[in-house]
Amino acid sequence: MKRFRERGTTGWCEDMSLGIENITLEEIPEVSYKHRLEITGRVSRSLVEEISRVKKEPEWMRNLRLRALEFFEKARTPQWIPFIEKIDLDEITSLYVKPDVEKTEKWEDLPEEVRKIYEKLKLPESYARYLAGLTSVLDSESVFVGVKEYLRSLGVVMIPMEEAVVKYPNLVREYFSRVFPYTDHKFAALHYALWSGGVFVYVPKNVRVAYPVEAFFFVGREMEGQFEHSLIVADEGSEIVFIEGCSAPRLRKESFHDGMVEIYAHKASKVSFVTVQNWSRNIVNFNNKRAIAEEGATVDWVEGSIGSKFTVTYPSTILRGEGSSTTSTVMSISRGGVVKDTGSKVIHAAPRTTSRVTSKSIVADGGVSIYRGLVQVNKGSKGSASYVECESLILDEKSQSHTYPIVHLLEDDASVGHEASTVKLDEDQVFYLMSRGLRRNEAVSTIIHGFIRDVLKKLPFEFAVMMSRVLDAEFGEYGGVG
Amino acid sequence: MSNEGVLVGDSPTIKHYIEPREYLNHVEESRREGLAGGGVSVTGGVVSGEVASSWYSAGCSSLYCQVHKILNPKTLVIDVGSDTYTRVDVNVWKGLLPLNLELNLPDSSLRVIDFNVKGSGLLSAWVRVRGGSRRRLVLKFNLPKGRASYIGVSEECGGCLGERAVILESSRTLRVEEFIRVESSSFKGKNIVIAEDGSILDWETRGVAGGDSPLLHLHGLAVSVGGSTTALRGVVAVDKHSRRGSIVYGLDSIQLNGRSLMQPKLEVYTGEVEEARHYARNVRFTADQIFYLSSRGLSTREAYVLLLTGLAKTGVEDPGISFLLEDVFRQVLLKLGLPG
C-alpha cells in the first residue's frame, strides 16, 4: 500500500497519482442516450410530490421537500446576484430526468453510449488507478457506484443519497439540511424541493481514508435541471479527501445546475473537498457548499472554477468548535462573457479558530470576475484569526473584476485581515519577455502562470498540473490575438 | 436603536447595520416634535447666502438621502475665511433639523472646519465642499448622545488635487453617506470615525474614478468604544472609459470593547488600470510592541498613543493634515481612556 502523508493544508496523499490531469479540457460534443422517465413542467406541489413518489421516499423527506417548496414560492429572488434577471427558471422544463440505465458497480454493465461518455472523461481509468470510491450521477440519478474493498473494510459508507435516505434514515435525518437549511435563500429552497442524485459519505471514528473518493456529475441535455445533494459526515478523528467533478456536453440551449454540498466535520476530523468544475458554456451553475467544523476539526476547500456560463458559489465553513480551522483556495477563469461570482465565507463561532482564504481570478474577452466573501468573528470567539487574500488579473479592456468582501468583527480579541488587488496585463513585462526570445503568446502565458503560481503551490501536484494545462488551453492563443 | 440580540447565531446572512425603517420612525417622531430652533452659527467664516437646494449627488438613492430630499432644506452657503479654523455650531436641542451646507474654500491653504452639534434632536444634514483646486481640508464632527441622525458629504474633484481628512466622534446612532467623484484628477481622503457610548456609526462611501489618470485613495480608521459598533463600508469604482487610474480603498479598525464591520468593495470596469487594491484589517497591538516601546522609556499609555496615532496618519500625505490628525486623535484617545 502506498504511504499516506499529510501535505500542506489539503492533507493530500502526496505520492498517489490522482490522474485529475486526465479530465478533458475541451467541451464534449453532443451526446445521446435513452431516458426512462422525465418529469417536466413548472415547479409546483404536484411536480415535487411526483418526484418524491417516483423515488419512493419516506414521509419526512416528502414533507421536507414540500416545506422547501413553500419557502421557495415565498422567498424573494436575491437581487444582488449579477445578471439574475437573465435567468428564467421557466425555461428549465426537465426537472427530473432518469436515464434508461440500471445502477451498477461495473462499467461494462452500462449501456455503450453512456460508457463511451465516461470513457471520454477517463473516469473508469481514474477509478481503477487511484480512487477508493466513485459515484457517477447522470442527469438526476446515480448510474455508477463503485466502492472498493479497501473503503468497505474501513467501514466507510458511500452510497447514493436516495439510498441512504432509506438505508440509514436516522443518520441522514440527523444531518440532512442541518448544515445548509432551505431557509437560507431561494435557490437553496429550490434545491431541497427538487433534489435528486448525489452521494452520502460517512467516515467512522478515527478512520483515515488514504485514497480520495469522487462524485462526478454530468448533465446530458439542454433545458434540464440537476439538483444533486452530497452529504459528508466525518466522525471524530477521521479524515477524507472528496473530489467533485462536473461536466456537460456542448449544448444548444442552457441547462441549470443547483447542487448542494453539506459537510459535518466532527471533533478532530479533517475533510478536504476539491471541486473541478468544468461545465460547458451553457450551464448556469449555482453550487451551495457549506461545512460545520467541530472542536479541532479542519475543513479545506479547493475550488477550481473553469467552465460554465454563469457560476455562483461560495464554499463556506462555520467554525463551531474550539480550535477548528478552515482554508479555502479559489481559482476562477472567466473568458468570453462568462460570469464567475465566487468567493468564500467563514463564521468564527468558537475561540481560537483560524481561517485562510486565497482567491485568484483571471478575466479576459469580456469576462466578469466577482469575489464575494465574508469573515465573521462572533462574540466570544477569542483568539481567532483570519486572513483573506484575493487577486484578479485583467487581460483586456472589455473585462471586469469586482471584489466584495465583508468583515464582521463582533469580538475584539481577534486578528483579521483582508487584502485584494486587481492588476492588468503589464505590457512592459510582455515586451521584456519577448525581447528574450519568447513569442507573445508564450510571454503572456508565462505571466499568467506567474500570477497563479501562489495558488498552484497550494494545490495537490496533479491538480496543479491540470490547472496549468487549462490555463494554456484557455489563454494560449490570447497573446497572439492581443 | 440597538443591534443587541441579533448578533447571536452563525448564519452568514445576519444583518448588523442600521435598520432604515427604525430611522424612519425616528424621523416621524422628531417631526411631531417640530423643527428644531437655534439654527447654525459660524465663527471664522461668513454665511454668504441661502439658496434653494438642487445639488444632491447623483448617487443619492438611499432611504436616508431620499428622506433628506423630502425634508427639502434650504442651503446655507458658507464662505470659509482666511483663518485656518472655522467653527460651525449646529443647534438641534429637540425635534428635527434638516440642513444643507455648502462650503466654499477660497484657496489651497489648509482649512479645519469644526462642526459642533449641540442638543439631542435629529439632524439630517448634507455638506458639500466646493472650490480650492488644491484643497487641503480637515472636517471635524462631534455629535453628542441623541436621536439617530444622518449626514451626507459630497466632493467633486474635476481637475484638482485634493486631500481631505474627516474626524468624526459620535455618541448617537449615525448614518453617514459620502459621495466622491474624481475626474482626471487626484483626491486622497482619510476618515477617522469614533463611536462611543454603545452607539452605532454606519459610514458608507461611494467613490468613482473616471477620465484620464484619476487617483482616488481612500483610507478609513474606525474606533469602536464601550459596546459601540462601527461600520465602514462602500464601493470604490473605476469607470469603464477611465484610463490609467489608481484607486486604493483601505480600512483599519480598532476595537476597544466594541464591534467593527467593514466592507471595502472594489469595482473595476476596465483593464486599463494602473492600481486597484483594497484592504480591511483590525489592529491589535502585541505585548512585544508595547514591551519594546516601554524599553525605550515610554509608559504603556504613551506606547498605545504612539501606535494608535501612527494609524491615524496612514494614507495621509499632507504634513499639515497629518499633524492635525495626530493631535486631534491623541486628544480623543486620552479622553476615551487607554490601558495603562
Side-chain angles (χ1 to χ4, degrees):
Chain A
M1 185 186 291
K2 290 181 180 175
R3 187 165 46 90
F4 178 72
R5 191 166 73 206
E6 281 189 7
R7 190 185 119 180
T9 53
T10 50
W12 207 262
C13 312
E14 191 178 60
D15 43 7
M16 289 188 311
S17 173
L18 299 182
I20 306 175
E21 73 274 20
N22 293 328
I23 291 171
T24 41
L25 305 178
E26 304 83 26
E27 289 183 349
I28 300 168
E30 208 169 334
V31 295
S32 168
Y33 51 89
K34 287 179 188 163
H35 298 91
R36 190 177 296 171
L37 178 66
E38 190 174 345
I39 299 176
T40 58
R42 289 175 68 108
V43 181
S44 63
R45 187 182 173 95
S46 58
L47 186 138
V48 170
E49 281 176 335
E50 179 64 7
I51 292 174
S52 186
R53 192 188 62 77
V54 165
K55 289 180 163 295
K56 298 181 180 124
E57 284 175 350
E59 201 178 346
W60 69 266
M61 182 57 82
R62 179 176 162 274
N63 290 339
L64 176 70
R65 284 181 186 275
L66 293 173
R67 285 200 304 273
L69 176 69
E70 208 174 307
F71 185 86
F72 167 74
E73 285 167 345
K74 284 181 193 162
R76 289 179 60 192
T77 304
Q79 293 304 308
W80 50 267
I81 296 177
F83 311 108
I84 191 77
E85 70 282 356
K86 291 183 182 171
I87 298 171
D88 184 2
L89 287 176
D90 289 342
E91 279 187 4
I92 309 300
T93 50
S94 300
L95 296 170
Y96 174 83
V97 180
K98 185 176 170 60
D100 191 14
V101 181
E102 286 301 330
K103 191 186 73 188
T104 178
E105 292 180 17
K106 292 178 184 168
W107 293 107
E108 51 272 25
D109 290 346
L110 291 173
E112 194 185 347
E113 60 273 21
V114 174
R115 198 172 65 241
K116 274 185 178 168
I117 296 170
Y118 289 130
E119 280 169 359
K120 193 166 174 57
L121 292 162
K122 300 190 177 171
L123 276 187
E125 192 184 325
S126 304
Y127 177 58
R129 282 175 63 192
Y130 67 87
L131 293 172
L134 170 68
T135 297
S136 187
V137 176
L138 183 60
D139 299 323
S140 303
E141 291 289 345
S142 301
V143 293
F144 177 86
V145 182
V147 178
K148 288 183 180 165
E149 186 49 38
Y150 164 74
L151 204 59
R152 287 185 215 276
S153 67
L154 291 172
V156 175
V157 176
M158 183 179 182
I159 57 173
M161 197 65 233
E162 28 289 90
E163 241 180 272
V165 171
V166 178
K167 270 191 180 172
Y168 303 97
N170 295 336
L171 199 57
V172 173
R173 246 185 128 158
E174 189 181 345
Y175 295 102
F176 195 87
S177 88
R178 178 175 172 184
V179 182
F180 209 131
Y182 64 80
T183 47
D184 256 40
H185 57 77
K186 192 176 181 76
F187 291 104
L190 179 68
H191 167 88
Y192 276 105
L194 301 175
W195 81 267
S196 181
V199 64
F200 173 70
V201 177
Y202 172 75
V203 192
K205 259 186 190 180
N206 300 321
V207 167
R208 300 173 84 198
V209 185
Y211 296 85
V213 297
E214 179 169 347
F216 195 87
F217 304 101
F218 192 87
V219 174
R221 303 188 324 179
E222 58 246 19
M223 297 162 77
E224 180 184 320
Q226 188 181 60
F227 304 89
E228 92 286 349
H229 192 105
S230 298
L231 172 59
I232 300 163
V233 180
D235 217 327
E236 281 185 32
S238 63
E239 270 189 39
I240 191 162
V241 175
F242 190 103
I243 299 169
E244 179 191 56
C246 321
S247 193
R250 203 178 302 133
L251 304 170
R252 276 168 295 187
K253 288 185 177 173
E254 286 162 17
S255 276
F256 184 69
H257 175 252
D258 183 9
M260 185 169 286
V261 176
E262 293 186 286
I263 297 174
Y264 202 101
H266 280 277
K267 187 177 173 183
S269 62
K270 186 169 187 174
V271 179
S272 298
F273 194 96
V274 181
T275 301
V276 185
Q277 185 267 96
N278 195 23
W279 294 117
S280 61
R281 294 285 166 89
N282 303 78
I283 301 285
V284 174
N285 177 35
F286 283 79
N287 210 343
N288 309 284
K289 293 175 177 171
R290 192 179 294 166
I292 288 180
E294 294 285 10
E295 187 184 339
T298 301
V299 176
D300 296 321
W301 300 97
V302 177
E303 178 81 26
S305 188
I306 302 159
S308 85
K309 176 183 182 179
F310 175 49
T311 283
V312 178
T313 186
Y314 322 108
S316 311
T317 308
I318 297 167
L319 299 168
R320 181 182 277 172
E322 184 167 350
S324 53
S325 67
T326 186
T327 66
S328 190
T329 306
V330 182
M331 209 207 84
S332 76
I333 295 169
S334 321
R335 200 181 161 198
V338 168
V339 180
K340 291 285 172 65
D341 193 334
T342 58
S344 198
K345 299 183 181 187
V346 185
I347 310 288
H348 293 256
R352 285 166 285 285
T353 47
T354 55
S355 63
R356 188 178 173 102
V357 178
T358 309
S359 168
K360 295 261 183 178
S361 56
I362 303 170
V363 274
D365 290 344
V368 179
S369 161
I370 298 167
Y371 173 85
R372 211 181 289 271
L374 167 76
V375 173
Q376 178 167 308
V377 183
N378 284 1
K379 189 77 184 159
S381 306
K382 289 183 183 297
S384 294
S386 174
Y387 181 62
V388 180
E389 180 188 18
C390 53
E391 281 186 77
S392 301
L393 175 65
I394 303 185
L395 295 181
D396 58 39
E397 285 182 48
K398 293 180 286 182
S399 305
Q400 299 173 24
S401 169
H402 310 311
T403 320
Y404 302 127
I406 299 175
V407 181
H408 286 170
L409 301 173
L410 313 179
E411 167 61 55
D412 55 9
D413 182 11
S415 292
V416 175
H418 167 100
E419 59 178 286
S421 61
T422 300
V423 292
K424 65 169 184 173
L425 183 67
D426 191 334
E427 285 300 326
D428 287 349
Q429 290 177 355
V430 175
F431 177 77
Y432 174 79
L433 290 169
M434 288 173 73
S435 75
R436 314 319 279 174
L438 272 68
R439 288 193 296 269
R440 184 177 167 84
N441 61 338
E442 290 169 340
V444 172
S445 179
T446 303
I447 291 166
I448 290 171
H449 278 95
F451 172 77
I452 214 81
R453 193 181 60 172
D454 289 350
V455 169
L456 291 186
K457 276 196 293 190
K458 290 174 190 166
L459 300 178
F461 177 72
E462 289 79 0
F463 190 82
V465 170
M466 194 275 288
M467 290 309 287
S468 189
R469 286 185 55 207
V470 169
L471 289 172
D472 284 338
E474 286 283 325
F475 299 108
E477 292 171 17
Y478 187 82
V481 176
Chain B
M1 201 186 275
S2 163
N3 60 2
E4 284 293 347
V6 295
L7 303 178
V8 290
D10 45 23
S11 165
T13 49
I14 318 167
K15 301 283 179 286
H16 304 291
Y17 305 95
I18 298 172
E19 173 57 58
R21 279 169 298 189
E22 282 190 46
Y23 177 73
L24 276 183
N25 292 339
H26 279 254
V27 172
E28 281 307 316
E29 280 174 27
S30 306
R31 277 178 89 170
R32 280 197 288 272
E33 287 176 16
L35 290 180
V40 176
S41 63
V42 179
T43 315
V46 179
V47 178
S48 62
E50 194 176 293
V51 294
S53 300
S54 57
W55 45 259
Y56 295 102
S57 168
C60 170
S61 58
S62 72
L63 182 138
Y64 309 91
C65 199
Q66 294 300 318
V67 168
H68 185 78
K69 269 185 180 176
I70 291 166
L71 295 171
N72 195 26
K74 288 275 176 73
T75 299
L76 285 183
V77 181
I78 299 175
D79 291 332
V80 176
S82 54
D83 291 348
T84 303
Y85 193 82
T86 303
R87 183 183 172 99
V88 181
D89 287 315
V90 182
N91 301 304
V92 204
W93 297 114
K94 62 173 192 171
L96 168 71
L97 179 64
L99 179 68
N100 283 338
L101 293 172
E102 185 172 305
L103 301 174
N104 283 328
L105 303 174
D107 52 41
S108 61
S109 305
L110 175 63
R111 294 291 195 293
V112 180
I113 300 170
D114 188 353
F115 294 90
N116 251 296
V117 178
K118 294 173 181 171
S120 60
L122 190 150
L123 175 69
S124 179
W126 258 77
V127 179
R128 184 193 193 196
V129 182
R130 301 188 72 186
S133 64
R134 286 176 177 266
R135 71 180 68 141
R136 295 184 299 144
L137 179 66
V138 176
L139 298 175
K140 283 174 66 187
F141 294 90
N142 195 337
L143 291 97
K145 273 190 174 178
R147 279 250 163 82
S149 295
Y150 167 71
I151 295 175
V153 180
S154 74
E155 292 256 6
E156 282 162 28
C157 208
C160 73
L161 294 165
E163 185 156 5
R164 187 211 67 196
V166 174
I167 184 155
L168 188 152
E169 240 186 299
S170 171
S171 297
R172 66 174 69 184
T173 295
L174 180 66
R175 163 82 174 184
V176 182
E177 289 178 345
E178 174 189 39
F179 301 89
I180 303 166
R181 181 162 184 97
V182 173
E183 197 70 32
S184 304
S185 48
S186 159
F187 182 85
K188 289 174 185 149
K190 172 84 182 187
N191 300 324
I192 300 176
V193 300
I194 302 138
E196 303 163 23
D197 299 321
S199 61
I200 305 174
L201 203 164
D202 187 2
W203 181 301
E204 187 163 358
T205 298
R206 288 178 206 174
V208 179
D212 206 21
S213 305
L215 182 145
L216 179 58
H217 290 186
L218 297 174
H219 291 87
L221 171 64
V223 185
S224 49
V225 187
S228 303
T229 302
T230 52
L232 285 183
R233 51 181 172 148
V235 185
V236 174
V238 185
D239 254 359
K240 193 173 183 178
H241 304 294
S242 169
R243 296 171 69 82
R244 295 184 295 278
S246 168
I247 58 170
V248 177
Y249 187 18
L251 302 177
D252 289 307
S253 81
I254 301 167
Q255 292 164 271
L256 302 172
N257 195 23
R259 288 181 286 263
S260 169
L261 317 173
M262 293 178 278
Q263 289 190 33
K265 297 176 184 173
L266 196 67
E267 294 183 347
V268 180
Y269 290 94
T270 174
E272 272 295 308
V273 61
E274 282 298 314
E275 181 185 23
R277 61 187 173 88
H278 67 171
Y279 65 86
R281 64 189 177 198
N282 73 334
V283 181
R284 293 173 68 215
F285 301 117
T286 62
D288 286 352
Q289 288 170 317
I290 302 298
F291 176 77
Y292 174 78
L293 292 170
S294 300
S295 73
R296 315 321 278 176
L298 274 69
S299 69
T300 310
R301 177 183 289 248
E302 286 167 336
Y304 269 109
V305 169
L306 185 73
L307 292 167
L308 289 168
T309 50
L311 279 173
K313 296 190 288 185
T314 304
V316 180
E317 256 183 33
D318 184 84
I321 294 177
S322 178
F323 175 77
L324 262 163
L325 277 185
E326 185 180 353
D327 189 44
V328 174
F329 194 53
R330 181 186 290 118
Q331 288 169 29
V332 172
L333 290 170
L334 292 174
K335 188 185 81 182
L336 294 174
L338 285 167

